């Protein structure tokens, strides 16, 4: 379980996160929703120790992050994290070189799942394919938790569909996923848990099936209620 | 350890193209310079000998032999060296900032590797250090080649042969940095270089952690580090009291250098683990 | 397999309903194997946990059964199969009655229109089949 406990983050004098609390379980897809600039990416960066927090704590399976944790949790930001002159094959080799958790078989599977050409250079990829390579490099790691920042933003419909299909496939199997998005439509039926952020705090969190069952509301209904009141 | 070596190799690979350009510029400019300087000397020699009707020995007596030192005093020789020095100083910054501001945010990957983040720091420092040593080795080989070229242009009777150790004794003090005379000197000079790289890296990480405030902190760190390092020399010079023998000053400098390196590593480790922001 | 899920009913309930329809129309036969949780999730593009939940509900209701580690199968219990059909019919009729009732149509008129429409649909289906 990933536990985010009361984190506060300031940029200069501005408090961006004002005490954020939530948990994300293994085997579940947790979705962080909020308008741009609400601090979703900052939360992800904080979980991965890529930016310091001013207060609060973050634990992964009960422990603070350390170097070995990066073989158990991975973050797929919305920009690609390998170098432009590398080919897809070379970037896979780079990952294989450093990560114990790299799974070659799964990497090949993802390669064919996304219909990517391993000899193509990162720099020459379309936006959609860049996003797919980004996902490939993260998902080919045998990790317990995957964090994804806006995997659907700025890419074409067919790529979006393909990426959404990953979530229902065995490629995500039993992992804990945290995903940020400001567009829920692509994944409304895929997610287990929703965390709504506004003005630096979690204003509502709920289980999607429970919400439908108990209150008969869709995720969008709840968002409308919360954000437009 | 394995990750450190792989990262070092990776960092060298990334710089290699620019490095080859530096090498190419140095080789080309110095060799062209050698030819030009040697030809100039010979032109001048034949003109003067002609005008003043001098014998070779009289010319040499009045105007001097030709030696590699003629070349080393020319812009052709130290120009490319200065260019390489500038290039490496620039790269000391670029090696970090490119990972933040490049087309792809590679810093995410570097900081998420399942290895100590300090390995990234050491790999970058090692890469720069190895490239400096590489350029110096190149310069030594190049001097030897330049001597051969000189022999092709200038008749032997005009040449005062100088071995590299002789050059090292004769050259002006700026080149001592390039060609240390003793092993101790080598250690002191390149140790100082290493201290400088570590200090600069720490300053860069301060900036990357605290941004604008970090610029001041980084500048402050550099000033304090150089102040401490230079303090034994400065105190003697300023007070006019030379209490310490040169040997004692060296030992003191080595100790201070170790302290600065240790504190740079400690501070960088802290920043990379706790304060860095992508 | 294609299901249009609505966003307001629990997805697992919709999956169960979908299975009941398939059973009632004999698209799924008694004793037939059903897809694994993962297969169904990727086919319907829904969360595997949701499919898990739906299968659990169906198992508890006796619609499917699992022997040891084999894939789950549709029940062979005649009474159960019959009641699934009954339940769907009654559900459909209930909602039909509710909407017709709300526009206050007399019963005889409803029956007449119903008969007419029903024959139309059956004819169309027959024609459709003979064209194949």
């Amino acid at each position: 379980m990933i536990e985010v406990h009361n984190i506060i983050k300031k940029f200069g004098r501005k408090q961006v996160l004002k005490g954020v609390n939530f948990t994300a379980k293994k085997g579940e897809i947790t979705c962080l929703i909020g308008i741009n600039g609400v601090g979703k990416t900052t939360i992800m960066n904080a979980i991965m120790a890529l930016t310091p927090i001013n207060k609060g704590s973050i634990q992964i399976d009960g422990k603070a992050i350390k170097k070995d944790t990066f073989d158990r949790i991975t973050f797929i930001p919305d920009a690609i994290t390998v170098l432009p002159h590398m080919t897809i094959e070379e970037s896979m080799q780079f990952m294989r070189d450093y990560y114990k958790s790299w799974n070659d078989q799964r990497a090949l599977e993802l390669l064919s799942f996304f219909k990517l050409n391993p000899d193509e250079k990162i720099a020459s990829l379309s936006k959609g394919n860049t996003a797919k390579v980004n996902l490939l490099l993260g998902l080919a790691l045998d990790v317990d938790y995957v964090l994804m920042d806006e995997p659907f933003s700025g890419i074409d419909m067919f790529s979006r569909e393909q990426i959404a299909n990953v979530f229902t496939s065995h490629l995500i199997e039993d992992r804990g996923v945290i995903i940020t998005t400001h567009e829920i439509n692509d994944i409304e039926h895929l997610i287990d848990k929703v965390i709504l952020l506004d003005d630096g705090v979690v204003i509502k969190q709920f289980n999607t099936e429970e919400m439908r069952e108990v209150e008969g509301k869709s995720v969008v209904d709840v968002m409308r209620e919360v954000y437009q009141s | 350890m394995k990750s450190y070596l792989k990262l070092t190799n990776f960092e060298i690979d990334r710089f290699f193209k620019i490095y080859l350009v530096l090498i190419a510029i140095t080789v080309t400019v110095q060799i062209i310079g050698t030819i030009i300087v040697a030809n100039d000397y010979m032109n001048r020699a034949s003109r003067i000998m002609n005008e003043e009707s001098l014998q070779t020995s009289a010319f040499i007596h009045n105007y001097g032999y030709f030696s590699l030192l003629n070349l080393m005093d020319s812009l052709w020789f130290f120009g490319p060296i200065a260019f390489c020095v500038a290039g490496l100083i620039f790269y000391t910054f670029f090696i970090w900032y490119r990972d933040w501001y490049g087309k792809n945010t590679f810093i995410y990957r570097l900081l998420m590797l399942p290895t100590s983040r300090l390995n990234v720091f050491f790999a970058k420092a090692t890469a720069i250090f190895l490239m400096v040593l590489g350029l110096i080795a190149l310069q030594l080989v190049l001097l030897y080649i330049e001597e051969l070229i000189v022999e092709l242009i200038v008749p032997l009777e005009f040449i005062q042969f100088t071995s590299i150790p002789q050059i090292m004794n004769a050259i002006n003090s700026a080149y001592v940095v390039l060609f240390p005379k003793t092993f101790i000197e080598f250690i002191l000079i390149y140790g100082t270089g290493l201290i400088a790289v570590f200090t600069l890296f720490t300053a860069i990480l301060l900036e990357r952690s605290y941004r604008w405030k970090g610029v001041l902190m980084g500048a402050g760190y550099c000033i304090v580090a150089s102040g401490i390092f230079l303090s034994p020399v400065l105190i003697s010079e300023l007070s006019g009291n030379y209490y310490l023998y040169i040997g004692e000053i060296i030992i003191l400098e080595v100790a201070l250098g170790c302290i600065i390196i240790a504190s740079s590593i400690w501070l960088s480790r802290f920043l990379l683990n706790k304060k860095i922001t992508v | 397999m294609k299901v249009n899920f609505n966003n307001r009913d629990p997805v697992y309930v919709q999956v169960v309903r979908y299975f009941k329809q398939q059973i009632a129309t004999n698209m799924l036969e008694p004793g037939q194997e059903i897809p694994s949780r993962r297969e169904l999730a990727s086919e319907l593009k829904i969360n595997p946990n949701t499919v898990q939940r739906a299968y659990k509900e169906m198992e508890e209701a006796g619609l499917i059964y699992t022997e040891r580690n084999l894939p789950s199968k549709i029940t062979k219990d005649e009474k159960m199969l019959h009641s699934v059909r009954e339940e769907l019919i009654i559900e459909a009729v209930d909602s039909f009655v509710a909407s017709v009732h709300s526009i206050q149509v007399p019963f005889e008129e409803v029956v007449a229109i119903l008969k007419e429409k029903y024959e139309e649909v059956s004819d169309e289906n027959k024609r459709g089949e003979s064209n194949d």
Side-chain angles (χ1 to χ4, degrees):
Chain A
M1 190 158 65
I2 298 177
E3 292 165 276
V4 172
H5 187 67
N6 217 10
I7 56 172
I8 291 175
K9 169 77 182 175
K10 294 178 200 160
F11 284 118
R13 274 186 217 143
K14 197 173 165 249
Q15 219 174 41
V16 181
L17 304 178
K18 302 173 179 171
V20 170
N21 281 293
F22 69 88
T23 59
K25 286 197 193 104
K26 204 166 170 253
E28 283 192 359
I29 300 174
T30 303
C31 187
L32 291 180
I33 298 179
I35 52 160
N36 284 335
V38 81
K40 291 173 295 195
T41 305
T42 306
I43 293 173
M44 296 235 166
N45 285 342
I47 294 174
M48 299 304 287
L50 296 172
T51 197
I53 49 174
N54 298 84
K55 266 199 185 122
S57 72
I58 295 166
Q59 297 200 312
I60 294 151
D61 291 334
K63 285 179 193 140
I65 200 162
K66 55 182 178 31
K67 61 181 183 183
D68 304 324
T69 319
F70 292 105
D71 261 323
R72 296 191 33 244
I73 180 168
T74 196
F75 175 33
I76 305 170
D78 70 346
I80 199 153
T81 58
V82 287
L83 299 174
H85 65 78
M86 289 177 168
T87 63
I88 295 178
E89 175 60 47
E90 282 164 352
S91 56
M92 286 162 64
Q93 182 59 46
F94 180 85
M95 298 294 283
R96 188 184 295 126
D97 277 347
Y98 292 96
Y99 290 89
K100 281 196 218 85
S101 55
W102 179 261
N103 181 330
D104 254 322
Q105 200 201 329
R106 182 176 289 165
L108 291 177
E109 225 175 298
L110 281 153
L111 208 54
S112 70
F113 187 91
F114 286 136
K115 302 186 176 60
L116 293 164
N117 168 13
D119 297 323
E120 203 169 338
K121 276 203 171 180
I122 301 289
S124 67
L125 293 170
S126 69
K127 237 183 154 187
N129 280 351
T130 309
K132 288 176 202 165
V133 171
N134 215 9
L135 280 175
L136 182 155
L137 297 177
L139 293 176
L141 297 171
D142 271 329
V143 290
D144 296 333
Y145 299 100
V146 182
L147 276 51
M148 297 182 199
D149 197 10
E150 298 279 355
F152 298 101
S153 80
I155 54 174
D156 63 285
M157 190 182 90
F158 298 109
S159 300
R160 280 218 302 270
E161 222 172 76
Q162 243 183 338
I163 290 170
N165 286 346
V166 169
F167 287 91
T168 57
S169 73
H170 67 283
L171 296 164
I172 286 283
E173 186 141 41
D174 298 331
R175 307 191 195 197
V177 177
I178 301 182
I179 176 171
T180 70
T181 185
H182 55 270
E183 259 203 64
I184 191 75
N185 296 338
D186 291 301
I187 53 169
E188 177 148 11
H189 294 136
L190 304 179
I191 51 187
D192 293 275
K193 190 174 176 181
V194 171
I195 290 161
L196 298 180
L197 293 159
D198 194 31
D199 198 25
V201 289
V202 173
I203 43 172
K204 195 171 180 80
Q205 53 180 313
F206 58 92
N207 178 292
T208 53
E209 283 283 88
E210 245 171 61
M211 181 56 72
R212 294 184 197 110
E213 178 138 47
V214 178
E215 303 192 31
K217 288 175 189 159
S218 71
V219 177
V220 176
D221 289 339
V222 182
M223 284 170 67
R224 199 167 282 134
E225 241 169 54
V226 165
Y227 289 120
Q228 293 188 342
S229 60
Chain B
M1 192 63 191
K2 218 173 102 200
S3 293
Y4 159 72
L5 292 177
K6 274 188 283 197
L7 280 167
T8 305
N9 179 39
F10 186 76
E11 288 292 350
I12 291 173
D13 269 357
R14 288 174 80 191
F15 186 53
F16 212 69
K17 269 189 203 148
I18 311 175
Y19 193 56
L20 285 182
V21 171
L22 287 182
I23 289 175
I25 289 175
T26 307
V27 170
T28 322
V29 173
Q30 283 199 6
I31 286 181
I32 292 174
T34 310
I35 295 168
I36 290 176
V37 170
N39 270 326
D40 276 358
Y41 176 87
M42 279 321 290
N43 290 341
R44 188 159 143 265
S46 49
R47 185 168 47 83
I48 290 173
M49 278 157 67
N50 213 359
E51 280 169 7
E52 303 179 13
S53 336
L54 292 176
Q55 295 293 311
T56 304
S57 57
F59 172 81
I60 290 168
H61 181 78
N62 292 346
Y63 295 94
Y65 280 106
F66 185 89
S67 87
L68 276 184
L69 295 174
N70 296 39
L71 173 65
M72 291 172 77
D73 282 337
S74 75
L75 186 64
W76 291 105
F77 187 83
F78 67 76
I81 292 176
F83 186 74
C84 287
V85 169
L88 285 167
I89 290 175
F90 169 75
Y91 197 66
T92 305
F93 290 90
F94 188 61
I95 201 172
W96 286 101
Y97 285 99
R98 70 187 301 181
D99 289 337
W100 266 271
Y101 294 109
K103 198 162 156 257
N104 299 355
T105 43
F106 193 57
I107 192 64
Y108 277 89
R109 183 54 56 213
L110 286 180
L111 295 181
M112 291 195 295
L113 293 176
T115 173
S116 164
R117 288 178 178 177
L118 211 46
N119 279 339
V120 174
F121 177 92
F122 285 136
K124 287 183 189 297
T126 313
I128 287 180
F129 200 63
L130 287 178
M131 287 186 287
V132 170
L133 294 184
L135 282 176
I136 287 160
L138 170 82
Q139 189 58 67
L140 291 178
V141 173
L142 210 49
L143 263 181
Y144 179 74
I145 295 171
E146 282 155 9
E147 181 141 18
L148 295 181
I149 294 172
V150 166
E151 282 171 29
L152 289 177
I153 299 170
V154 182
L156 289 180
E157 64 258 36
F158 288 92
I159 301 176
Q160 185 176 47
F161 283 100
T162 39
S163 65
I164 286 177
Q166 280 174 308
I167 290 174
M168 287 180 173
N169 278 322
I171 49 180
N172 69 56
S173 57
Y175 287 128
V176 170
V177 174
L178 270 184
F179 312 114
K181 285 172 208 153
T182 61
F183 184 67
I184 294 284
E185 235 176 67
F186 175 86
I187 296 289
L188 289 179
I189 289 166
Y190 292 100
T192 309
L194 205 61
I195 293 168
V197 169
F198 276 31
T199 307
L200 267 182
F201 274 18
T202 308
I204 292 167
L205 290 177
L206 279 164
E207 189 281 329
R208 289 288 79 200
S209 297
Y210 300 101
R211 305 290 145 116
W212 282 110
K213 243 190 280 170
V215 175
L216 296 178
M217 294 159 90
Y221 186 77
C222 288
I223 291 167
V224 170
S226 24
I228 290 173
F229 188 65
L230 296 175
S231 61
V233 181
L234 285 178
I235 289 169
S236 324
E237 293 293 331
L238 291 178
S239 65
N241 292 324
Y242 298 92
Y243 292 119
L244 299 171
Y245 292 109
I246 196 80
E248 288 171 332
I249 287 187
I250 287 174
I251 291 168
L252 195 57
E253 287 293 1
V254 169
L256 288 175
C258 290
I259 290 171
I260 293 167
I261 286 184
S263 71
S264 293
I265 292 173
W266 178 83
L267 184 55
S268 295
R269 181 170 171 271
F270 168 74
L271 293 169
L272 281 166
N273 285 339
K274 302 279 183 216
K275 294 292 174 199
I276 204 84
T277 284
V278 290
Chain C
M1 226 185 281
K2 181 79 195 147
V3 187
N4 283 320
F5 290 107
N6 72 58
N7 293 335
R8 295 201 171 93
D9 289 322
V11 178
Y12 86 90
V13 172
Q14 299 183 61
V15 173
V16 173
R17 191 183 301 143
Y18 167 77
F19 267 87
K20 285 180 177 171
Q21 281 166 1
Q22 298 283 301
I23 291 169
T25 56
N26 273 329
M27 300 297 281
L28 287 171
E29 284 163 14
Q32 185 178 334
E33 272 180 18
I34 59 170
S36 74
R37 156 182 110 102
R38 181 65 59 191
E39 281 162 6
L40 192 69
S42 47
E43 212 161 337
L44 299 180
K45 307 199 187 315
I46 55 172
N47 190 313
N49 295 335
T50 308
V51 179
Q52 179 72 28
R53 175 89 190 271
Y55 280 14
K56 198 174 149 239
E57 294 284 324
M58 293 198 289
E59 184 114 34
E60 278 168 11
L63 278 176
I64 58 172
Y65 66 97
T66 316
E67 282 169 344
R68 279 159 295 153
N69 287 329
L70 296 170
S72 301
K73 290 173 181 160
I74 302 291
T75 182
K76 291 175 190 162
D77 181 348
E78 286 296 331
K79 233 165 57 193
M80 174 57 69
L81 292 166
H82 190 74
S83 78
V84 166
R85 186 162 176 273
E86 201 108 295
E87 188 192 324
L88 281 181
I89 296 169
I90 287 170
E91 214 174 85
V93 171
D94 276 351
S95 83
F96 171 73
V97 169
S99 54
V100 169
H101 196 78
S102 72
I103 37 178
Q104 297 174 342
V105 194
F107 178 70
E108 289 73 20
E109 198 182 337
V110 172
V111 173
I113 297 172
L114 191 61
K115 192 159 180 265
E116 194 180 312
K117 288 280 174 196
Y118 208 85
E119 277 160 7
E120 242 173 61
V121 174
S122 307
D123 282 352
E124 259 169 41
N125 283 352
K126 257 181 219 153
R127 240 176 288 137
E129 274 161 28
S130 59
N131 281 352
D132 282 343

